[in-house]
Amino acid sequence: EPEVTQTPSHQVTQMGQEVILRCVPISNHLYFYWYRQILGQKVEFLVSFYNNEISEKSEIFDDQFSVERPDGSNFTLKIRSTKLEDSAMYFCASSETSFRETQYFGPGTRLLVL
Amino acid sequence: GENVEQHPSTLSVQEGDSAVIKCTYSDSASNYFPWYKQELGKRPQLIIDIRSNVGEKKDQRIAVTLNKTAKHFSLHITETQPEDSAVYFCAARYSGGGADGLTFGKGTHLIIQP
């Protein structure tokens, strides 16, 4: 069964540094999402992406965040200048066109900002 | 925006007994309600979902009920087994088109006592 994949699994960075988190959605999916989960808390929606543009974004997704579909398979989340409070697990998800409600999650990237 | 409340935060049941987790939502326009299971350190896995044109859905030992008037939905697990131990998240989404994000509840830590 195809799955969403994410790299790296863990990332440690210094405050103020830029990080790029990468995701490969399921191949026939056209809707992509990023979520984050601070340790011990609920999963929070960041942004959704369709047809090469942002479809929806939450209040968390401020100017320091950006997303990109650089090629036909990857979907990236960039954090320009990381803050301590950006430390979290970041999940990518994707959904099909016909049944776009069902979102399938990747294994996550654990980001630690020091 | 949507707000999802989930109860209880922790639920401990004896193996073989049933478990019920309840969620309420605020946006009457929400029409898609998935449930995810998350084991420690792993990705959220969709276990069942329901759309607002249906009142109940069942898949083996798992069932979900939806009361649109009261704006609440519940997860029922019967004949619980040790492998059911995990954190369960409910979510809601308005699925009127586009790539809309899920709003999650805070999660229920289900503990199955042997």
Side-chain angles (χ1 to χ4, degrees), chain B residues 4-51:
Chain B
V4 176
E5 298 288 338
Q6 182 172 349
H7 300 279
S9 56
T10 304
L11 178 60
S12 181
V13 301
Q14 291 292 321
E15 182 178 349
D17 288 350
S18 295
V20 180
I21 302 170
K22 298 181 179 181
C23 288
T24 60
Y25 61 99
S26 61
D27 188 348
S28 57
S30 289
N31 55 13
Y32 173 66
F33 308 94
W35 285 88
Y36 285 84
K37 175 183 180 182
Q38 187 179 31
E39 296 175 16
L40 191 62
K42 297 194 175 180
R43 75 183 78 192
Q45 296 252 354
L46 179 73
I47 56 171
I48 196 166
D49 56 13
I50 191 167
R51 291 166 177 79

Side-chain angles (χ1 to χ4, degrees), chain A residues 3-4 31 33 35 37 41-45 48-50 55-56 89 91 100-107, chain B residues 3-4 32 36 38 41-46 49 51 89 93 95-102 104-106:
Chain A
E3 289 186 329
V4 177
Y31 295 80
Y33 312 82
Y35 292 84
Q37 185 178 33
Q41 298 187 23
K42 67 177 177 178
V43 178
E44 299 174 291
F45 170 70
S48 59
F49 191 87
Y50 170 69
S55 179
E56 184 190 9
M89 180 73 93
F91 291 105
R100 57 181 180 268
E101 298 94 342
T102 303
Q103 297 181 21
Y104 298 90
F105 281 71
Chain B
N3 182 49
V4 176
Y32 173 66
Y36 285 84
Q38 187 179 31
K42 297 194 175 180
R43 75 183 78 192
Q45 296 252 354
L46 179 73
D49 56 13
R51 291 166 177 79
F89 291 97
R93 190 179 103 169
S95 185
D100 306 306
L102 294 169
F104 283 83
K106 290 187 175 181

